[in-house]
């Protein structure tokens, strides 16, 4: 088949075939009677193993786009029948809610700006809960040891092995975000979606978060789509795109 591979500066291997193809995606929110058009025909290909950074002004639809890619929301149907979000050989716009839940559990990791950890759970539980979602209650029992081992391994790698029993409230922002990253990676996703993962952190902490993601990405061959305002982070990625007036422009 002649798959081309390229060694990147980031040390990752990028394959030439896309893992994700977004075509003609429109998204309009409705607030009461007011329509808020956000995306006006987004086209985007992401190759397997690639790190794509999305830049764009606040309110330009970056989070909206990540949500559509991650199966958390759907593109408009009425305005654009040809809208397509393809992940590998799956057409996400045609899939049931249940299938999208599976897709999120099996294939996608999500990291948010504000961590979204569960306050009642310990650090370790916040990470293993992803395994529970994937395997269900019964399946989780059968896989429990494997999931707990993997969660502890990830937390150890991110320098949190001394925090396993702590609650999120007892952690710093940087530590919370590292827990959130471990949670996103627990099911070995092939695509990590990160929405301003360093946006709430000071510079140095942000860099350590980024290093954790980069290191893991290299080892796991992860594909990464990241939203950030930080041009220095963007400069490290394989490719930068901008959302302008609801469309993608290559930067
Ligand atoms: P960004 O992440 O680039 O800052 P968003 O994708 O969050 O932008 O939002 C784009 C626009 O859509 C904003 O004007 C925002 O207010 C609006 N918006 C986002 N989510 C919703 C929603 N659930 N309901 C209504 N409007 C929304
Ligand atoms: Mg946003």
């Amino acid at each position: 088949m002649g798959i081309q591979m390229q060694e990147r500066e980031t040390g990752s291997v990028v394959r030439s075939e896309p893992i994700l193809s977004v075509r003609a995606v429109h998204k309009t929110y409705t607030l009461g009677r007011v329509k808020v058009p956000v995306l006006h025909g987004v086209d985007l290909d992401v190759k397997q193993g690639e790190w794509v950074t999305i830049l764009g002004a606040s309110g330009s639809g970056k989070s909206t786009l990540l949500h559509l890619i991650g199966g958390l929301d759907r593109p408009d149907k009425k305005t654009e029948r040809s809208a397509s979000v393809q992940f590998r050989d799956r057409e996400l716009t045609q899939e049931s809610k249940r299938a999208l839940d599976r897709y999120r559990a099996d294939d996608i990791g999500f990291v948010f700006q504000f961590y979204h950890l569960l306050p009642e759970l310990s650090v370790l539980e916040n990470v293993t809960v992803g395994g529970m979602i994937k395997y269900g209650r019964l399946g989780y029992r059968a896989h429990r040891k494997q999931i707990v081992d993997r969660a502890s391994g990830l937390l150890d790698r991110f320098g949190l092995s001394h925090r396993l029993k702590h609650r999120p409230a007892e952690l710093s922002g940087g530590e919370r975000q590292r827990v959130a990253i471990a949670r996103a990676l627990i099911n070995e996703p092939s695509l990590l979606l990160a929405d301003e993962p360093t946006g709430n952190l000071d510079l140095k902490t942000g860099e350590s978060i980024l290093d954790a993601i980069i290191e893991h990405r290299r080892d796991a061959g992860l594909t990464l789509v990241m939203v950030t305002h930080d041009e220095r982070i963007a400069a490290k990625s394989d490719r930068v795109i901008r959302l302008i007036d609801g469309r993608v422009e290559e930067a």
Side-chain angles (χ1 to χ4, degrees), residues 64-196:
T64 299
L65 178 57
L66 277 200
H67 293 167
L68 294 174
I69 293 171
L72 286 169
D73 202 353
R74 294 175 187 276
D76 296 347
K77 275 205 187 99
K78 284 180 190 148
T79 45
E80 194 51 69
R81 284 172 201 278
S82 61
S84 161
V85 180
Q86 201 170 353
F87 177 84
R88 297 217 166 100
D89 50 4
R90 303 167 62 162
E91 178 53 57
L92 299 181
T93 56
Q94 305 298 326
E95 293 204 345
S96 65
K97 185 183 171 299
R98 209 189 157 100
L100 288 181
D101 288 345
R102 274 253 68 85
Y103 162 68
R104 281 201 308 282
D106 293 345
D107 296 301
I108 299 295
F110 236 112
V111 180
F112 303 93
Q113 181 176 356
F114 295 106
Y115 330 125
H116 291 311
L117 299 175
L118 296 167
E120 306 297 324
L121 300 185
S122 71
V123 161
L124 183 63
E125 289 162 345
N126 261 285
V127 179
T128 55
V129 82
M132 228 175 270
I133 291 167
K134 172 166 173 152
Y135 291 106
R137 265 246 200 96
L138 289 175
Y140 178 73
R141 273 198 217 145
H143 291 88
R144 188 171 180 282
K145 181 165 180 347
Q146 174 200 330
I147 294 166
V148 170
D149 284 352
R150 182 166 162 79
S152 329
L154 284 165
L155 288 164
D156 186 30
R157 260 183 88 169
F158 296 153
L160 290 167
S161 47
H162 58 306
R163 291 270 187 262
L164 299 187
K165 292 188 173 156
H166 289 239
R167 299 283 155 105
E170 298 167 317
L171 307 182
S172 71
E175 287 173 327
R176 287 181 211 188
Q177 193 60 304
R178 278 181 275 154
V179 177
I181 294 168
R183 178 187 56 191
L185 297 174
I186 186 68
N187 294 332
E188 305 187 47
S190 39
L191 176 59
L192 184 68
L193 303 172
D195 196 352
E196 303 193 41

Side-chain angles (χ1 to χ4, degrees), residues 29-31 36 38 56-65 195-196 227 229 243:
Y29 293 109
T30 308
L31 290 171
V36 184
V38 178
S58 179
S60 60
K62 304 180 296 295
S63 296
T64 299
L65 178 57
D195 196 352
E196 303 193 41
V227 171
H229 285 293
L243 269 184

